[in-house]
Structures are given as C-alpha cells and as structure tokens.
Amino acid sequence: MTGSRAATRARIEADIIRIGRRQLAEVGAAALSLREVARELGMVSSAVYRYVESRDDLLTQLIIAAYDSLGEAAEAASERASDAGDLSRWVAVGDAIRTWALERPHEYLLLYGTPVPGYAAPDDTVSPGTRVSLALVGVVHDAARAGRLDDVAPFVSPVPAALAHDLGELSRLIDVDDDPARLAAVLFGWTQLFGHLSFELTSQTRGMVGDHGEFFRHAVTSSGRAIGLR
Amino acid sequence: MTGSRAATRARIEADIIRIGRRQLAEVGAAALSLREVARELGMVSSAVYRYVESRDDLLTQLIIAAYDSLGEAAEAASERASDAGDLSRWVAVGDAIRTWALERPHEYLLLYGTPVPGYAAPDDTVSPGTRVSLALVGVVHDAARAGRLDDVAPFVSPVPAALAHDLGELSRLIDVDDDPARLAAVLFGWTQLFGHLSFELTSQTRGMVGDHGEFFRHAVTSSGRAIGLR
DNA sequence: TGTACATCAGTGAACGCGCGTTCACTGATGTAC
DNA sequence: TGTACATCAGTGAACGCGCGTTCACTGATGTAC
C-alpha cells in the first residue's frame, strides 16, 4: 500500500539524501554516519546497504547534490539580475553564493573546506562543481560579448608570460575577451570571493570585521570593477 | 640516568608536540589520536594523561605551536626583505606563508580550514593567530610611515560608510594611514592571499591553473600594487 | 649523611562508546506462463 | 485468473576496529629534617 516498489525505492533514496544533508548540517561531514542515517530511516543499520554502496558513496552523492544546489542558486541569481547592470549582476551572483553558504555552512565546507579524512572525491564530482564558476564567469562573458566592458584595472598588469599561457582554459569559457590581464582579474575575483567566504565561515575575521555582508559585498563589487564590469 | 625529572618532563612534552605535528601531517586533525601518541612514545595509553589534560588540550597546544611557527616564518621573511622595495617585501612575506603552508598542508588546514568537529578553540589561540597578519600589515605600516605609498587603486572606492567605520581596528595596526580605501585594500589582499592558498591546498583550481606558484605570486603582487606598495 | 615521607611517572585492566560492513535469513512484491 | 518462481527489502546477529578516559596500583625519584 506504500506504492509500487520503484516508487518506494525512489522515495527512500531521496530520503537518504535529505537525511544526509541534515546530518551534514548538524555535525559536519567527518561525523556523517550510515548507522545514524539508518536510525532516522527507521531501519536496521545493514538495510541502508540496499540503497547505498558505502559511506563514501553517500558522501559522493551528497557532494554532487550540494554542488548542484549551489550552482542552481548562482544561476538563478544570474538570471534574475540579467536586466541589471553587469556589475550589479556580478554582485548578485556573489551574494547568492554567500547566502547559500551561510544557510548551510557544513555543506559549503564539504565542498570548499578541508577534505574529508580518508575520502577521495571521484571524478563524477568535478563537472557539477564547475556550475557555480560558470555562472560567475558567464556574467563577464555576457558583458564582453555585448561590448560593455571597461578597461581592466591596471594593477594586474603585466601578467607574467608563463601565467598568461596557463589562462587558456579560462579563456575558452569567457570566449570573447582573451586579454590575459582580464582573465587574471577574473580568476582573482573568483578566488577572493571564496576566500572571503571561507574566512567568514571559519571566523578568521572575528574582531576585525563587523558587518560581514557589507564587507563581502564591497569586496565583490571591487573585484567586479577591477575586471571592468560596470 | 635520563636526566633530572624536570628535564625528562620537558623533553617528553616536546616529544608529544613533535609527534602530534607529525600525526597532523600524516592523517590530519580529525584523526589525531592520543592513543597513537602514546604508542609512538612507547607508553601505555593512559600515561600520556600525565602530560596532557585531554585530546582537546593537545589540539590547542598544536594550534598554538602552528600559529607560532607560521608567524615566525612570516616575520623572518619580512625581516630578510626589509631592504628590498615594499612591494617585493610584501610578496616575500606572502611567499613565505605559502611555502610554510605547502610544507605542512594539514597544519595549515588546522588553522584555516574546516573547524575540527567537536572542538572549540579557546581564547589562548587568538593572540598567536594574529602574528602572521601583523607581519603582513607591518609591511604596509613601514611603507606608510616612510611616506613611500602610492595612491590606493581606485576600484576599491567608494568604501561604504558602515564598512569604513568597521575598519577602525585595522587602522590602529597600520597606524599611519587611515584612508578607508587603503584599509579595505589591505583587508582584501589579506583574504585573497589565504583564499588562494586554501584553493590550492584543496585542489579547487585543478585544471584551471598550471603553475600555482606563478599564479600566487602574481596575485599577491597585484594586491600589493592595489594597496599602493611599490 | 642517612632516613622517612611525599611526589611523581608509568602500568594494566577496564568501561562504554560508535562505527562500517558482511552474512544467512524471512517474508513480501512483482513477473512469466 | 491462477500458479510457480525470481527478485527484492528489511532483519538480526556478529566481526573487528579504534577511540577517550578513569582508576587503583607499583616502583622510582626527589625533598625535608
């Protein structure tokens, strides 16, 4: 009476992810426990092995789910702000990332923090991870295609030759502008954004910064300006 | 015949820190184990309680030791480069921080990564943590006092009023220049530096950046220029 | 200089905990004819 | 539509692991007189 076997299975699989995320939120990735998942599912511990291959398998699924959720949040913000100026749009995406992170710090740290001891992320994990970055870069891409970019800030020049060469990958994503200084500025903005978040989430800035939202927004605005967004 | 009681005790206390750091290096903070420390010490597990109050106590000592070691490395680099230009000196300190981090990634992540589950860092931990930051800021401080600062890059302006107000703490450290834009630029450089390192250590940049050293050095150079160092 | 006592270092056994994973099993749900 | 068989979901017991921490103890090192 609980529906067809396939439907029940799908429901339970979704439940497991949901419970896993809740556990992540409460105790963090290192303390994620299959036995606890089973308990919350109302099953005996061995039963969850019908749904999940191992603890590492569950972690992988959770990482993918988290990347997707974050990527979606970023993309949605980008779309919502597609009529605003490029700089506001850049900030909007950054803000969405921050909001997502603050709502689930442990999930953020699962993606961008210390690797979980004894766990090696498989390759399935890489492609969902690029979604956020693509959302950010997409803003620059659109601005470049529309010819709305100001000059890149002079302080990133000159870009050392070896580095300029390395920027090829990113150049394919932005697609229009392949000025190495611009590419470097985008990369800097990107690392700075996540650097800020990691600092905020691990309280490194305690005592130094009062209003983290204001600080973050200003940092992202500044990096956007340096890139040449307006 | 192993020396006076006090000397033996001092030696074993130092051994414990040394073993703890090695364990950190090999398995990370989450897997740090008092029983394993005892084993390597050639003692029975309960014996280490003569030297250490608890696992958390050992973690705290290790954190303090790591902060001190990192702070020392940064200060030494700053001193070594005190005759170079301000910008080179800034980069030298950044490079020293990176070198330290790459040599002991787990220790770096203990300080700047995901908080260890179930462990709350006590206050003894805060003051040694500021040493690195002071070394970095000191470079700007010296340049400011000597009147060798260029204009701060325009892209950080205008600084929102609420944020400008928050920067008071940092202003006391830099001491000479209290232009909010400059303070913001320093703060950005600081978070960007650690953001880069965290990305590098957790392999977030894989595929995107080839030569991380080059990338890092350019990023730090750029942030230094933005601050107005030359 | 020698003795009596106090402090300290290290032992060994134990408590209680939670974990991931395997395995043989029962009973229910689905499928083929 | 009914029956025979195969698949699947969940059970319960068990294995083996390592952990932090406590406690009563023995024997060695230091201290006071």
Side-chain angles (χ1 to χ4, degrees):
Chain A
M1 222 47 352
T2 45
S4 76
R5 204 125 87 173
T8 314
R9 174 163 257 277
R11 188 157 40 75
I12 294 185
E13 277 171 353
D15 278 356
I16 289 178
I17 296 291
R18 207 174 27 78
I19 291 171
R21 292 183 82 167
R22 248 208 339 142
Q23 261 193 62
L24 236 40
E26 281 164 22
V27 297
L32 176 76
S33 150
L34 280 194
R35 288 188 106 110
E36 179 59 29
V37 168
R39 248 171 261 134
E40 293 186 32
L41 230 33
M43 284 174 181
V44 96
S45 71
S46 53
V48 335
Y49 283 86
R50 297 282 166 214
Y51 300 93
V52 139
E53 269 184 20
S54 63
R55 194 188 104 107
D56 279 9
D57 175 43
L58 177 57
L59 261 182
T60 301
Q61 290 186 238
L62 289 172
I63 288 176
I64 292 173
Y67 270 131
D68 269 332
S69 157
L70 172 59
E72 202 182 304
E75 285 165 11
S78 176
E79 208 154 318
R80 249 182 282 119
S82 60
D83 290 336
D86 297 310
L87 184 56
S88 318
R89 198 178 169 207
W90 170 263
V91 174
V93 175
D95 245 337
I97 295 174
R98 176 167 180 266
T99 301
W100 186 93
L102 292 185
E103 277 169 1
R104 21 178 122 49
H106 280 112
E107 268 181 281
Y108 176 87
L109 290 172
L110 173 61
L111 303 182
Y112 296 102
T114 309
V116 181
Y119 170 81
D123 290 340
D124 325 21
T125 255
V126 173
S127 115
T130 58
R131 241 174 111 178
V132 215
S133 315
L134 287 181
L136 268 173
V137 167
V139 175
V140 182
H141 170 86
D142 290 352
R145 280 180 69 101
R148 288 192 305 260
L149 283 178
D150 281 339
D151 283 347
V152 63
F155 73 97
V156 287
S157 298
V159 176
L163 181 57
H165 176 264
D166 270 353
L167 293 170
E169 178 77 10
L170 185 59
S171 158
R172 269 196 290 124
L173 296 180
I174 301 194
D175 189 25
V176 172
D177 190 327
D178 58 356
D179 174 9
R182 176 103 57 203
L183 297 171
V186 172
L187 220 45
F188 292 174
W190 179 58
T191 56
Q192 186 172 61
L193 191 156
F194 287 94
H196 267 102
L197 283 182
S198 296
F199 261 32
E200 181 174 353
L201 287 176
T202 60
S203 317
Q204 296 290 342
T205 42
R206 80 184 127 179
M208 217 146 236
V209 177
D211 184 338
H212 283 89
E214 189 86 36
F215 180 48
F216 179 83
R217 224 164 296 115
H218 184 52
V220 175
T221 304
S222 298
S223 73
R225 267 198 221 112
I227 291 169
L229 297 167
R230 61 170 124 98
Chain B
M1 217 53 347
T2 45
S4 76
R5 203 126 89 175
T8 314
R9 174 162 258 276
R11 188 158 37 77
I12 295 185
E13 277 170 354
D15 278 356
I16 289 179
I17 297 290
R18 208 174 28 78
I19 292 171
R21 291 183 82 167
R22 247 204 344 135
Q23 260 192 65
L24 236 41
E26 280 164 22
V27 296
L32 176 77
S33 150
L34 280 193
R35 289 189 104 111
E36 179 59 30
V37 169
R39 247 171 262 134
E40 293 186 29
L41 230 33
M43 286 175 179
V44 99
S45 71
S46 54
V48 334
Y49 284 87
R50 296 282 165 215
Y51 299 92
V52 138
E53 270 184 19
S54 62
R55 194 188 104 107
D56 279 9
D57 175 43
L58 177 56
L59 261 182
T60 301
Q61 289 186 240
L62 289 172
I63 288 175
I64 292 173
Y67 270 131
D68 269 332
S69 158
L70 172 59
E72 201 181 304
E75 285 164 10
S78 175
E79 209 154 317
R80 250 182 282 121
S82 60
D83 290 335
D86 296 311
L87 184 57
S88 317
R89 197 178 170 207
W90 170 264
V91 174
V93 175
D95 246 337
I97 295 174
R98 176 166 179 267
T99 300
W100 186 93
L102 292 185
E103 276 169 2
R104 22 176 122 49
H106 280 112
E107 268 181 281
Y108 176 87
L109 290 171
L110 172 62
L111 304 181
Y112 296 102
T114 309
V116 182
Y119 170 80
D123 290 339
D124 325 19
T125 256
V126 174
S127 114
T130 57
R131 238 174 114 179
V132 213
S133 314
L134 287 181
L136 267 174
V137 167
V139 175
V140 181
H141 170 85
D142 291 351
R145 281 180 67 102
R148 289 191 305 260
L149 282 178
D150 282 339
D151 283 348
V152 63
F155 74 97
V156 288
S157 299
V159 176
L163 181 56
H165 176 264
D166 270 353
L167 293 171
E169 176 77 11
L170 185 57
S171 158
R172 268 196 291 126
L173 294 180
I174 300 196
D175 187 24
V176 172
D177 190 328
D178 57 354
D179 173 8
R182 175 103 56 203
L183 298 170
V186 171
L187 221 45
F188 291 173
W190 179 60
T191 56
Q192 186 173 60
L193 192 156
F194 287 94
H196 267 102
L197 282 182
S198 296
F199 261 32
E200 182 174 352
L201 287 176
T202 60
S203 317
Q204 296 292 339
T205 42
R206 81 183 126 182
M208 218 146 233
V209 178
D211 184 337
H212 283 89
E214 190 86 36
F215 180 49
F216 179 82
R217 226 164 295 115
H218 184 52
V220 176
T221 305
S222 298
S223 73
R225 268 197 219 112
I227 292 170
L229 297 167
R230 63 171 123 98

